[in-house]
Amino acid sequence: MKAQLNAYIHSEDARTQAGFYQEALGGRIASVTTFGQMPGIPAESQHKVMHMALEVAGGNVLFLSDSFGPASGGRSLSLALSFTQEDEAREAFGKLANGGTVKFPFEPQPWGAYYGEIEDKFGVHWQIVKQ
């Protein structure tokens, strides 16, 4: 069996959240479909993002969608980014932490890697690793 796994983030403002990740991790919005592109959607919901593909950090793809209710992160899931360059890992860590909370500082670990944890300003948990 072969498959590709992508994180799907339900957001209160997918465009703003995608812009934050694009700035923090580099990348581009590959596609956006709004609810307005579907028939029968009420006018007040037509601008909402139904599906967005965001390429970040060298080709990883995050999916985002606007939520119709409150959207909040959960501690039962973290997104992990592994880097080969310490400066890139530190930069991503710092940018993702902007407006969020550092849960564990990015520093050398006994197993020989650098590691840190963040909850970003949207409530998404990130683990940043430099092997």
Side-chain angles (χ1 to χ4, degrees):
M1 177 183 298
K2 184 175 180 178
Q4 181 175 333
L5 179 66
N6 298 92
Y8 209 113
I9 300 170
H10 297 273
S11 175
E12 292 180 24
D13 184 350
R15 286 181 178 91
T16 298
Q17 194 165 354
F20 176 75
Y21 296 145
Q22 195 173 6
E23 173 66 28
L25 303 172
R28 69 180 187 89
I29 295 172
S31 66
V32 177
T33 303
T34 65
F35 283 99
Q37 293 171 266
M38 302 296 117
I41 300 297
E44 65 273 8
S45 298
Q46 289 186 2
H47 70 284
K48 288 185 168 276
V49 173
M50 185 172 88
H51 177 78
M52 177 186 293
L54 175 65
E55 294 177 5
V56 294
N60 297 286
V61 178
L62 295 174
F63 295 147
L64 291 96
S65 177
D66 281 324
S67 169
F68 282 94
S72 61
R75 186 60 188 126
S76 64
L77 179 68
S78 294
L79 301 179
L81 277 175
S82 298
F83 291 85
T84 58
Q85 301 296 318
E86 182 183 341
D87 60 333
E88 291 176 348
R90 284 191 184 283
E91 181 179 2
F93 186 89
K95 287 181 176 181
L96 288 169
N98 186 18
T101 304
V102 173
K103 298 294 189 177
F104 192 85
F106 185 77
E107 55 191 31
Q109 299 303 309
W111 62 86
Y114 283 80
Y115 176 84
E117 290 183 26
I118 303 155
E119 179 180 340
D120 73 24
K121 65 183 179 181
F122 299 100
V124 175
H125 292 264
W126 294 86
Q127 297 176 0
I128 307 298
V129 180
K130 186 279 177 186
Q131 296 294 343

